[in-house]
Amino acid sequence: MKNGKKIPNKKTFIGLVTSDKMDKTVVVSVSGRVLHPLYDKYVVRSKKYKVHDENNQAGVGDRVQIQECRPISKDKYFRLLNIIEKAQ
């Protein structure tokens, strides 16, 4: 707590960059395994996030870490933390 206010925990994900065609924005696909409620099997679910990339440093195929932040635009509410692995 800081000055009586609770500091929220921000979500962080690791995903693959699928598009870098926009200026200062990349699209990151985050996938995870969830247990199917009826069939009791693990299913891979994926979701795409638009991520703020200030210096246009991430490229398609890079593995990146992203973090939740304040809304930057209508669709962007994540920012790029770091690039874990560059594409070859």
Side-chain angles (χ1 to χ4, degrees), residues 32-61:
R33 291 171 19 121
V34 292
L35 185 65
H36 193 281
L38 178 62
Y39 299 117
D40 278 340
K41 287 190 171 188
Y42 283 96
V43 184
V44 177
R45 301 270 186 217
S46 64
K47 184 166 180 169
K48 291 183 179 179
Y49 295 104
K50 288 185 181 168
V51 178
H52 185 67
D53 180 12
E54 183 66 36
N55 300 323
N56 289 323
Q57 55 191 0
V60 176

Side-chain angles (χ1 to χ4, degrees), residues 60-78:
V60 176
D62 293 351
R63 183 173 297 280
V64 295
Q65 184 176 17
I66 60 175
Q67 182 182 41
E68 189 178 33
C69 65
R70 64 177 178 81
I72 297 169
S73 69
K74 177 184 171 185
D75 296 328
K76 282 200 296 189
Y77 45 93
F78 279 87

